[in-house]
């Protein structure tokens, strides 16, 4: 494994068409939006999709969705104890070597060495927190989004014994007509050195971002409704570049070409030149 060459900044532009990119469970699963009407996708949602892509690439992932589990474990505790070396440290309880614990966990699972993880389970006397080098902001749309709601019904009997098949209302389904979102993130070299996040891992992260919505379709996100439009990837040569991450992210200028954008082509996107390494730009539309 090769040490990370330098700090990495990245920005991902994604489009959503007639889909619910990230429902809010505390608001009837309506698409998330802020008080100004701009759509949002939580960083947790984005990390979940990246983890799924890591799994598709054959990498070992610690935080797995139940419906995508690729091992026999049904909980994080079981998965942690399934690693013989980690279980040996956990059995030491308060005498566990936390540095050794972190080293084993980071070597075992790519999402732990990328995003970090807190290992604290009920009944155990050991608690270890690992801080990961990959940080991702919540995605925000470049224009206010229109949320469309519809009632959904069933036309079959749920139970035997009923004489008729009544069209009973089952609930409400929500989507947005169109939204263009920007995902921003970075990789910290100092933290990467601690977790062992390598240059090869960074390439896997880049590939995961390029293909973020592969194998991610659902009734709320039909195939093709969510699309990666463009990826900017700055691979700096320094651990701490002269240009800050905030300034790097602000160098992407996105302007509406019409009042109610309906596609990626309804935006003008320019990249401001900065006194730092030029980004790799990947176009997908």
């Amino acid at each position: 494994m090769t040490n990370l060459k330098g700090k990495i900044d990245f920005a991902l532009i994604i489009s959503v068409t007639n889909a619910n990119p990230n429902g809010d469970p505390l608001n009837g699963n309506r698409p998330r939006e802020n008080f100004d009407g701009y759509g949002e996708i939580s960083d947790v949602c984005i990390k979940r999709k990246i983890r799924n892509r890591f799994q598709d690439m054959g990498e070992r992932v610690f935080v797995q969705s139940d419906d995508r589990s690729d091992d026999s474990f049904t909980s994080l505790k079981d998965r942690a104890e399934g690693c013989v070396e980690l279980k040996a440290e956990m059995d030491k309880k308060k005498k566990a070597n936390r540095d050794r614990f972190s080293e084993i966990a980071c070597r075992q699972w790519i999402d732990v060495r990328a995003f970090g993880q807190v290992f604290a389970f009920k009944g155990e006397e050991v608690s270890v927190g690992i801080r990961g080098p990959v940080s991702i902001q919540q995605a925000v749309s470049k224009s206010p989004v229109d949320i469309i709601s519809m009632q959904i019904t069933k036309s079959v009997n749920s139970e035997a014994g009923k004489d008729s098949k009544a069209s009973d209302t089952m609930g409400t389904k929500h989507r947005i007509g169109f939204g263009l979102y920007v995902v921003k993130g970075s990789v910290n070299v100092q933290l990467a050195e601690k977790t062992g996040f390598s240059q090869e891992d960074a390439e896997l992260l880049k590939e995961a971002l390029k293909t973020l919505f592969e194998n991610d379709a659902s009734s709320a996100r039909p195939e093709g409704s969510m699309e990666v439009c463009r990826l900017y990837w700055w691979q700096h040569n320094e651990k701490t570049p002269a240009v800050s991450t905030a300034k790097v992210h602000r160098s992407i200028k996105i302007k509406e070409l019409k009042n109610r954008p309906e596609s990626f082509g309804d935006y003008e996107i320019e990249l401001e030149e900065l006194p730092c390494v030029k980004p790799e730009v990947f176009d997908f539309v």
Side-chain angles (χ1 to χ4, degrees):
M1 303 289 277
T2 308
N3 291 336
L4 200 62
K5 296 177 183 177
K7 184 178 181 181
I8 294 172
D9 294 309
F10 59 85
L12 186 71
I13 301 177
I14 61 179
S15 67
V16 180
T17 306
N18 287 322
N20 186 345
N22 185 204
D24 184 351
L26 298 180
N27 191 23
N29 208 43
R30 285 169 59 87
R32 297 180 189 271
E33 61 176 339
N34 60 26
F35 289 112
D36 295 320
Y38 290 82
E40 293 183 330
I41 303 175
S42 73
D43 60 306
V44 175
C45 173
I46 296 164
K47 289 177 182 177
R48 174 73 271 154
K49 297 180 190 302
I50 293 174
R51 285 185 169 100
N52 290 347
R53 295 301 299 134
F54 282 157
Q55 281 185 265
D56 292 341
M57 296 174 193
E59 297 295 319
R60 287 180 294 186
V61 170
F62 182 66
V63 183
Q64 301 181 15
S65 295
D66 290 341
D67 60 342
R68 288 182 60 101
S69 177
D70 57 14
D71 52 32
S72 60
F73 304 114
T74 57
S75 70
L76 296 181
K77 183 179 180 181
D78 289 345
R79 188 166 292 118
E81 292 179 341
C83 174
V84 176
E85 291 180 278
L86 206 62
K87 181 66 165 62
E89 286 298 326
M90 293 173 68
D91 289 342
K92 296 177 183 178
K93 298 187 181 296
K94 291 182 179 181
K95 295 182 179 180
N97 185 318
R98 282 168 167 71
D99 290 338
R100 172 67 175 158
F101 191 105
S102 298
E103 187 272 328
I104 295 170
C106 289
R107 174 162 38 88
Q108 189 78 6
W109 297 289
I110 187 173
D111 60 326
V112 175
R113 61 179 180 267
F115 305 127
Q117 181 67 32
V118 175
F119 290 84
F121 306 116
K122 186 177 181 180
E124 301 291 339
E125 296 180 26
V126 58
S127 177
V128 178
I130 301 173
R131 187 179 174 192
V134 181
S135 61
I136 296 178
Q137 302 177 22
Q138 65 184 26
V140 181
S141 67
K142 299 309 296 182
S143 307
V145 296
D146 294 325
I147 297 178
I148 305 166
S149 301
M150 67 169 64
Q151 298 292 327
I152 55 176
T153 62
K154 64 179 178 66
S155 57
V156 296
N157 289 331
S158 299
E159 301 176 7
K162 291 186 177 181
D163 295 331
S164 63
K165 297 180 180 180
S167 296
D168 299 328
T169 299
M170 294 180 63
T172 307
K173 189 174 182 179
H174 310 281
R175 70 182 192 274
I176 65 169
F178 176 79
L180 191 74
Y181 293 74
V182 180
V183 180
K184 300 174 182 178
S186 65
V187 184
N188 181 292
V189 180
Q190 287 84 352
L191 293 176
E193 291 173 346
K194 291 183 178 181
T195 66
F197 187 86
S198 65
Q199 188 62 42
E200 289 81 2
D201 290 333
E203 292 301 318
L204 288 174
L205 174 62
K206 184 198 295 184
E207 187 61 29
L209 291 170
K210 289 180 183 178
T211 59
L212 195 62
F213 304 115
E214 292 292 329
N215 300 326
D216 187 59
S218 70
S219 61
R221 303 179 303 278
E223 196 75 58
S225 63
M226 297 190 67
E227 182 180 14
V228 175
C229 300
R230 185 174 296 173
L231 171 64
Y232 295 90
W233 185 270
W234 289 265
Q235 172 78 68
H236 302 280
N237 298 315
E238 310 87 7
K239 290 185 178 181
T240 308
V243 179
S244 69
T245 295
K247 192 169 184 179
V248 168
H249 288 158
R250 284 199 303 270
S251 68
I252 302 174
K253 311 293 185 182
I254 302 179
K255 180 182 178 182
E256 295 179 359
L257 296 179
K258 57 187 294 188
N259 290 332
R260 298 174 65 87
E262 298 175 342
S263 69
F264 177 70
D266 291 336
Y267 291 88
E268 178 182 82
I269 303 176
E270 295 182 351
L271 185 65
E272 178 186 351
E273 189 171 343
L274 297 175
C276 68
V277 65
K278 291 185 178 180
E280 293 181 82
V281 181
F282 302 91
D283 271 308
F284 303 100
V285 293

